[in-house]
Amino acid sequence: MVTGKTCTMYCVEREILDEQRLEELSRRLDSSQTHTLFSHRLKNSLRCSIPKLKRTVVGFLPVLYWLPHYSVWDYGMPDLISGISVGIMHLPQGMAYALLASLPPVFGLYSSFYPALVYFFFGSSRHISIGTFTILSIMVGSVTERLAPDENFLIVNKTSGIEEVDITARDLYRVQVAAATTVLGGSIQVILGLMQFGFVGTYLSEPLVRAYTSAAAAHAVLAQLKTIFGVSPARFSGPLSMVYVSTLVDVCGLLPNTHLPTLVVSVLSIVILITAKELNNRCRKKLQVPIPVELIVIVVGTLISFYAHLNETYEISVVGKIPSGIQPPTMPNASIFPEVVVDAFALAIVGYAISVSLGKTFALKHGYKIDSSQELVALGLSNAVGGFFQCYSVCASMSRSLIQETTGGRTQMAGIASSVIVLVTMMKLGSLFQELPKAVLAAIVFVNLKGMFKQYTDIVTLWRRNKIDLVVWLVTWVSTLLLNLDMGLAASISFAMLTVIFRTQSPRYSVLGHLPGTELYLDLESHREVKEVPGITIFRSSATIYFANAELYLEALKEKSGLDITKMITYKRRQEAKQRKRDRRAARRAKRQAKRQTPNNSWVYLKGTDPETTTLGSMSDLQDGDITTLGCSSEDTLSRDLERISLGSLGKWTWDIHSIILDLSTANFIDTVALKTLRNVTFLSSWFIQVCIDISYLMCSYWTHQWMCSFCVAFTPAPVVEQLEQGGFFSDITKERLFTTVHDAVLYCINLRGDGTLPNYDIKVVGFTVLTCPHNYME
């Protein structure tokens, strides 16, 4: 009662739950039962049945799941309109992106046709459009130019006697390089997908991908400058090619030789495309189907070029001969595989990451799921099969996928409709684009990169939100620019992994306190209302303990709690050495006494009394400073003094802390180094406690009553408990010291100390039953 007011206390009674008690309650399976359960699951997985076979087949061919239920009345017209819109986009983008891959434009059309058909059967996403993509085209172009540079195909013109590039032979070999890289990359994707490695794309974080695509866009712009200005710079490839180079330096040097008619065509195309796209964006709510600006520009450009004879009159470079029909499948050149295996792996990972991120975005929006591993298989088969038909690496395109989704596409039937548009173009209309100026295709590439240029605003955003992600962004961008696309990707991923390691190496260490009225324990430094539990140190790391931060964990534990493991180990070794020396000395004395046939003289007696008349008495009858031993030399007395000094130097915790609790709630695994660290802490703590009690009993008897130390581990996840069991951790302490919550560990320590209550604290323990009482409140 408080004067004029009432005080109410709410108490909840429950028992303290440690790991051993929890196992009794939950009946956790032991190792033999777990092995039996695993064997049972293995037998079930190998057992064949009709329903299981059906699930497996449908999982591998998702088209069998939705096609039998396909409604032509509901989905037919939206898919048809969407497919035609996407097919119209395939034509200009396929031909333009083929230039980025340093291939003839017709191979861009091939890459827009075959992979989309394969994905129809194996893909689980309903909205992404598979085909050529800017980034992959640039990556393929870096491979083809590295293995088939112009200087390898120089021939002497018999008429003029001047060296010139054999374009036919060069393009033929570049197609072989692109096809071999695509087949190998697709095979890697299929293997990873069958092994359920669909998670590999998660290693490409969003800042990394955006920086990588921004740098790749810079590569694409530099690659198109020669076509836009109508110049012929020297081509370089490989690491640091942009430094001594290259395209940028050479193009700047060749600006006085700019081909003006080509520049005029490029500028006009860029202006028209930008203006039309902006109008499209502003009127997109009013337009059910976006205006195919790129196709219109291509058609108009081809007509003007054909009737104005731009190639003959103004020497404007055009696409040239486009073969009609489809090509028969051919085997890839296997001798190229060893030279492109790294590039193929990079293409496989980047293409998958882009596709699965788009697929998950649309799946979340429309309420269905995609299988990441199946997407990896589908994309791999699309590339592998396409490679046999001289396609180059493909993935989902953001622009075409958005068109497919916004125009009403419901299923991959839209992909079939777009493939029909591409097929008709290849069979009958391809030859009509022979007079298309390449400058128009370069302008299309340049304008389509506008969205990637906007990603440079990420620098400002990341500066405000996360400095480490900003560093990842900048390192990825710089490494991709300087080291080229393949090595740049490897360097970027390596650096991103290093940032994770660095962050786990330097986590936040904190000492927790109790939040009154709850069972919560929070950081004392971050929360004002939290109170320190008297005599108990609760230590937590924000990251899991493993080999890279185990030593730092001990250092932080020393700093936060005063527990100096290093000194304890030194002290332990010193005491063991002294004990061995005492044992040897005692053995020698015993041997000498045995020879003299005299009784053992290690009687404890009071100073100043006759050892012949003194009898053994209770140690409690002796006063401090009056205890000695017969046969004890001055060296033994000095050793005890050193021991006493060592006790005082081991940290303040030995004086005012009776319990230490390690909160392992953030741990998701325990390796051997972390296990050894925890074992050292627990073993040395328990050993040191015993040493302190023994020594304090000899030196200062009241210490024995003041010292009551316990070591506990709290809030340990079940997988970590299993790893602790396998590592023999519970040979040092019992599971009674492992608790499900920090609160249970605190209550155990209070109960072990023997105090039913702590002064000015709101936790009470009654036997093994806990009363958790919140603060009293005034009414």
Side-chain angles (χ1 to χ4, degrees):
M1 287 290 294
V2 180
T3 306
K5 296 182 180 179
T6 60
C7 179
T8 307
M9 178 180 290
Y10 297 92
C11 298
V12 180
E13 182 175 350
R14 67 172 178 83
E15 64 176 328
I16 301 175
L17 290 178
D18 55 44
E19 184 66 21
Q20 186 171 342
R21 179 55 178 160
L22 183 64
E23 288 184 354
E24 295 174 359
L25 294 175
S26 61
R27 298 180 180 179
R28 181 178 294 171
L29 298 176
D30 57 23
S31 58
S32 60
Q33 291 174 312
T34 305
H35 178 72
T36 304
L37 182 60
F38 174 76
S39 301
H40 181 67
R41 289 178 178 176
L42 182 61
K43 290 180 181 179
N44 286 339
S45 64
L46 297 177
R47 187 176 298 158
C48 184
S49 62
I50 298 299
K52 184 177 180 180
L53 178 62
K54 182 178 178 180
R55 287 196 302 269
T56 303
V57 173
V58 171
F60 188 69
L61 288 169
V63 67
L64 298 179
Y65 173 76
W66 60 267
L67 188 59
H69 309 287
Y70 186 80
S71 173
V72 178
W73 297 106
D74 295 333
Y75 303 147
M77 187 57 66
D79 282 343
L80 180 61
I81 295 174
S82 176
I84 293 175
S85 303
V86 173
I88 290 173
M89 290 187 67
H90 266 303
L91 301 179
Q93 290 187 359
M95 291 189 290
Y97 294 162
L99 294 182
L100 288 177
S102 299
L103 299 173
V106 69
F107 291 96
L109 297 180
Y110 295 158
S111 301
S112 301
F113 173 67
Y114 294 104
L117 290 179
V118 177
Y119 187 84
F120 170 81
F121 294 98
F122 297 96
S124 60
S125 176
R126 305 173 190 173
H127 294 90
I128 64 174
S129 173
I130 296 295
T132 57
F133 186 59
T134 314
I135 305 304
L136 295 193
S137 301
I138 301 168
M139 296 175 70
V140 172
S142 67
V143 180
T144 56
E145 290 180 3
R146 187 183 76 241
L147 298 183
D150 291 344
E151 54 266 23
N152 290 0
F153 300 92
L154 294 176
I155 59 174
V156 178
N157 192 316
K158 296 181 180 180
T159 304
S160 62
I162 302 175
E163 282 190 342
E164 60 183 23
V165 179
D166 187 352
I167 297 178
T168 303
R170 182 201 64 184
D171 289 348
L172 180 61
Y173 188 67
R174 286 183 175 180
V175 169
Q176 292 181 12
V177 171
T181 306
T182 301
V183 171
L184 185 58
S187 301
I188 292 173
Q189 288 175 326
V190 172
I191 293 172
L192 291 177
L194 293 177
M195 295 175 63
Q196 301 297 308
F197 270 40
F199 61 87
V200 293
T202 59
Y203 291 107
L204 302 179
S205 64
E206 183 179 357
L208 188 149
V209 172
R210 292 175 69 86
Y212 183 79
T213 54
S214 299
H219 278 280
V221 170
L222 292 177
Q224 297 307 305
L225 288 179
K226 61 168 186 169
T227 307
I228 291 175
F229 288 97
V231 295
S232 300
R235 299 303 300 269
F236 297 86
S237 61
L240 304 178
S241 60
M242 291 188 68
V243 177
Y244 6 96
V245 175
S246 70
T247 319
L248 184 58
V249 175
D250 270 6
V251 166
C252 293
L254 293 172
L255 284 180
N257 301 326
T258 299
H259 191 245
L260 292 179
T262 301
L263 181 61
V264 170
V265 173
S266 302
V267 171
L268 286 176
S269 301
I270 291 173
V271 171
I272 293 172
L273 285 168
I274 292 177
T275 304
K277 282 180 174 289
E278 288 299 324
L279 290 175
N280 249 347
N281 290 334
R282 293 187 179 184
C283 302
R284 60 185 175 183
K285 294 183 178 180
K286 300 179 180 179
L287 299 174
Q288 293 183 351
V289 178
I291 300 174
V293 181
E294 296 166 339
L295 182 61
I296 293 174
V297 170
I298 283 180
V299 172
V300 173
T302 303
L303 293 175
I304 294 175
S305 176
F306 178 76
Y307 287 106
H309 304 288
L310 297 182
N311 185 23
E312 295 84 358
T313 305
Y314 300 101
E315 298 182 351
I316 294 178
S317 179
V318 296
V319 169
K321 183 180 179 180
I322 297 180
S324 299
I326 58 178
Q327 299 295 321
T330 57
M331 290 296 295
N333 189 349
S335 63
I336 302 176
F337 286 168
E339 301 180 75
V340 299
V341 60
V342 176
D343 305 279
F345 187 81
L347 283 164
I349 299 301
V350 174
Y352 166 71
I354 294 171
S355 298
V356 79
S357 61
L358 280 175
K360 287 182 177 180
T361 300
F362 291 122
L364 182 64
K365 181 178 179 179
H366 293 276
Y368 64 92
K369 288 185 177 182
I370 65 171
D371 186 343
S372 298
S373 296
Q374 180 59 31
E375 281 297 296
L376 197 51
V377 171
L379 193 61
L381 289 174
S382 299
N383 281 311
V385 174
F388 285 95
F389 291 92
Q390 300 179 336
C391 302
Y392 67 88
S393 295
V394 298
C395 68
S397 166
M398 183 178 299
S399 59
R400 292 194 306 271
S401 298
L402 285 173
I403 293 299
Q404 182 167 321
E405 190 261 345
T406 55
T407 53
R410 305 290 183 85
T411 68
Q412 280 299 326
M413 288 298 293
I416 295 296
S418 64
S419 297
V420 172
I421 301 295
V422 177
L423 177 63
V424 171
T425 303
M426 290 191 301
M427 297 294 292
K428 299 297 182 182
L429 304 179
S431 58
L432 300 178
F433 296 105
Q434 293 180 3
E435 294 298 322
L436 173 64
K438 288 184 178 180
V440 175
L441 296 179
I444 292 174
V445 171
F446 188 86
V447 173
N448 284 340
L449 293 173
K450 182 185 66 172
M452 295 185 184
F453 294 146
K454 292 180 179 180
Q455 294 179 160
Y456 286 98
T457 58
D458 291 352
I459 296 176
V460 178
T461 303
L462 293 177
W463 172 262
R464 297 172 179 171
R465 295 181 179 177
N466 194 308
K467 300 295 191 300
I468 295 180
D469 282 347
L470 174 61
V471 174
V472 171
W473 198 102
L474 294 174
V475 170
T476 301
W477 186 81
V478 172
S479 61
T480 305
L481 279 182
L482 299 182
L483 303 179
N484 218 336
L485 297 174
D486 48 357
M487 295 183 64
L489 178 63
S492 304
I493 295 176
S494 301
F495 181 79
M497 293 295 102
L498 284 177
T499 61
V500 176
I501 295 174
F502 290 151
R503 279 186 274 190
T504 57
Q505 272 190 313
S506 303
R508 178 182 176 87
Y509 298 104
S510 55
V511 174
L512 307 184
H514 180 251
L515 181 63
T518 69
E519 294 187 3
L520 300 179
Y521 292 82
L522 306 174
D523 188 358
L524 285 169
E525 297 178 358
S526 304
H527 301 81
R528 296 181 179 178
E529 300 297 326
V530 172
K531 294 183 178 180
E532 184 177 2
V533 183
I536 300 177
T537 295
I538 308 170
F539 182 72
R540 181 174 66 186
S541 168
S542 62
T544 189
I545 314 170
Y546 70 113
F547 68 92
N549 63 6
E551 185 175 351
L552 299 176
Y553 184 86
L554 291 181
E555 291 295 328
L557 181 59
K558 169 189 173 182
E559 179 183 352
K560 295 289 186 180
S561 66
L563 178 62
D564 193 337
I565 299 298
T566 304
K567 288 185 178 181
M568 289 178 67
I569 293 175
T570 304
Y571 182 79
K572 176 179 179 294
R573 291 174 179 172
R574 184 190 305 159
Q575 294 301 315
E576 289 175 345
K578 290 179 180 179
Q579 185 62 40
R580 288 192 298 268
K581 187 183 296 184
R582 291 193 188 101
D583 291 342
R584 289 194 299 268
R585 190 184 301 119
R588 288 195 299 267
R589 282 199 301 267
K591 190 175 182 179
R592 289 195 300 268
Q593 293 296 334
K595 289 181 180 180
R596 298 175 183 176
Q597 295 182 351
T598 57
N600 193 338
N601 64 342
S602 59
W603 300 96
V604 180
Y605 67 98
L606 292 175
K607 288 183 179 180
T609 61
D610 186 0
E612 299 292 336
T613 58
T614 303
T615 58
L616 284 173
S618 171
M619 293 296 291
S620 60
D621 296 335
L622 306 180
Q623 300 298 321
D624 182 30
D626 291 339
I627 301 176
T628 187
T629 306
L630 276 178
C632 181
S633 64
S634 60
E635 181 182 354
D636 295 327
T637 305
L638 178 61
S639 297
R640 287 179 185 155
D641 293 338
L642 292 175
E643 289 167 3
R644 184 169 185 176
I645 294 173
S646 299
L647 283 174
S649 65
L650 291 180
K652 65 178 183 179
W653 71 280
T654 58
W655 310 104
D656 56 10
I657 300 296
H658 63 77
S659 300
I660 298 174
I661 299 173
L662 299 185
D663 181 4
L664 298 183
S665 58
T666 58
N668 51 17
F669 69 92
I670 293 289
D671 62 5
T672 54
V673 178
L675 183 63
K676 183 178 179 180
T677 300
L678 292 178
R679 293 186 67 175
N680 282 340
V681 173
T682 57
F683 175 72
L684 288 172
S685 297
S686 60
W687 175 87
F688 186 64
I689 293 164
Q690 184 63 42
V691 170
C692 286
I693 293 175
D694 293 343
I695 295 176
S696 66
Y697 190 84
L698 292 173
M699 292 185 175
C700 186
S701 59
Y702 73 90
W703 284 7
T704 307
H705 304 288
Q706 295 295 325
W707 185 267
M708 178 71 72
C709 185
S710 60
F711 176 86
C712 303
V713 180
F715 202 21
T716 310
V720 176
V721 175
E722 295 176 3
Q723 293 170 6
L724 292 175
E725 288 178 340
Q726 294 173 0
F729 178 76
F730 297 110
S731 61
D732 300 327
I733 65 172
T734 64
K735 288 188 178 181
E736 293 179 353
R737 296 292 182 94
L738 196 65
F739 297 91
T740 56
T741 67
V742 175
H743 192 63
D744 287 303
V746 171
L747 297 173
Y748 172 84
C749 294
I750 296 174
N751 182 72
L752 185 64
R753 181 171 172 80
D755 294 341
T757 62
L758 287 177
N760 301 323
Y761 203 66
D762 62 345
I763 298 179
K764 297 183 180 180
V765 183
V766 182
F768 287 100
T769 303
V770 180
L771 295 177
T772 306
C773 307
H775 275 307
N776 303 341
Y777 68 93
M778 307 300 179
E779 291 184 352

